[in-house]
Amino acid sequence: MLIRKMFPEDIDIVVDQELEVFGSTLGTKMLNYELTVNQYAHYFVLEDDELIIGYIGLWCVFEKGQITNFYIMPDYRGKRLGEKFLKFALEYFMEQGTRVISLEVRESNKAAINLYHKFGFAAGGIRKNYYEDGENALLMIKEI
Ligand SMILES: CC(C)(COP(=O)(O)OP(=O)(O)OC[C@H]1O[C@@H](n2cnc3c(N)ncnc32)[C@H](O)[C@@H]1OP(=O)(O)O)[C@@H](O)C(=O)NCCC(=O)NCCS
């Protein structure tokens, strides 16, 4: 398994995988902006034998960090890869001088919420009707 920076050449596969995992995608244009223009955005992919099997998007804005998107492909779940990737992200945030990390997660997404709890994230409030289908988001926060 290898964690490396995401490059524009990875966008097509990540868009396909986001559609499979979430049913929606940040989209080619937005991802390209994130990778080539947004100086606060830091995106990484997890590879198995040169095959992308997960990705994570981070924003580091001075002391404030945000996890913008994160998945492990279905066939690779339950093998502690989510933990490994999140641990990497937290270490990266620390190197960048981040003090507080926040993220939004669907209220129904128990797997992700458990994972974030395991890493010390606490519930910080509810964002009502946050997702397009009307589901609420749970805001989660961790100080590092
Ligand atoms: C959330 C996700 C990244 C977890 O990845 P994973 O590699 O399967 O997780 P791990 O094997 O590293 O599991 C680590 C911990 O996550 C939690 N977890 C993972 N899968 C779970 C499940 N099916 N049910 C409940 N908790 C689960 C547990 O706390 C687990 O630790 P434990 O086994 O000691 O209880 C993965 O399920 C995923 O990509 N989901 C779809 C996308 C998504 O929800 N992204 C997050 C958006 S905010």
Side-chain angles (χ1 to χ4, degrees):
M1 298 291 167
L2 169 80
I3 295 170
R4 65 161 173 82
K5 268 195 179 296
M6 180 178 166
F7 298 113
E9 304 81 74
D10 303 317
I11 289 176
D12 287 349
I13 179 89
V14 165
V15 164
D16 285 349
Q17 291 182 342
E18 278 188 319
L19 286 170
E20 185 181 334
V21 171
F22 299 112
S24 64
T25 169
L26 290 181
T28 305
K29 212 170 151 189
M30 172 73 169
L31 280 167
N32 194 52
Y33 176 85
E34 292 286 81
L35 298 184
T36 60
V37 180
N38 185 357
Q39 59 175 313
Y40 301 113
H42 306 253
Y43 280 66
F44 298 92
V45 294
L46 175 66
E47 273 189 347
D48 177 32
D49 211 9
E50 296 188 12
L51 187 73
I52 293 176
I53 59 163
Y55 109 123
I56 195 161
L58 315 177
W59 282 350
C60 304
V61 186
F62 305 105
E63 77 279 6
K64 289 188 182 161
Q66 197 173 335
I67 297 178
T68 62
N69 232 348
F70 173 37
Y71 65 71
I72 298 290
M73 288 304 282
D75 287 352
Y76 296 86
R77 290 183 195 158
K79 301 168 190 275
R80 307 254 172 252
L81 293 174
E83 277 193 16
K84 180 182 162 144
F85 214 3
L86 191 55
K87 186 165 175 283
F88 165 85
L90 295 182
E91 286 167 2
Y92 188 83
F93 274 128
M94 266 189 243
E95 284 167 18
Q96 300 296 311
T98 304
R99 305 296 300 272
V100 184
I101 305 166
S102 66
L103 61 89
E104 282 98 12
V105 57
R106 283 179 181 268
E107 270 186 326
S108 62
N109 191 347
K110 296 299 170 216
I113 291 170
N114 285 349
L115 174 59
Y116 296 133
H117 270 144
K118 201 169 171 182
F119 277 75
F121 283 82
I126 299 288
R127 294 200 201 280
K128 290 265 180 205
N129 299 316
Y130 185 78
Y131 296 98
E132 276 182 1
D133 60 4
E135 185 169 352
N136 297 338
L138 176 65
L139 173 68
M140 298 192 80
I141 296 171
K142 178 181 167 67
E143 288 181 31
I144 54 176

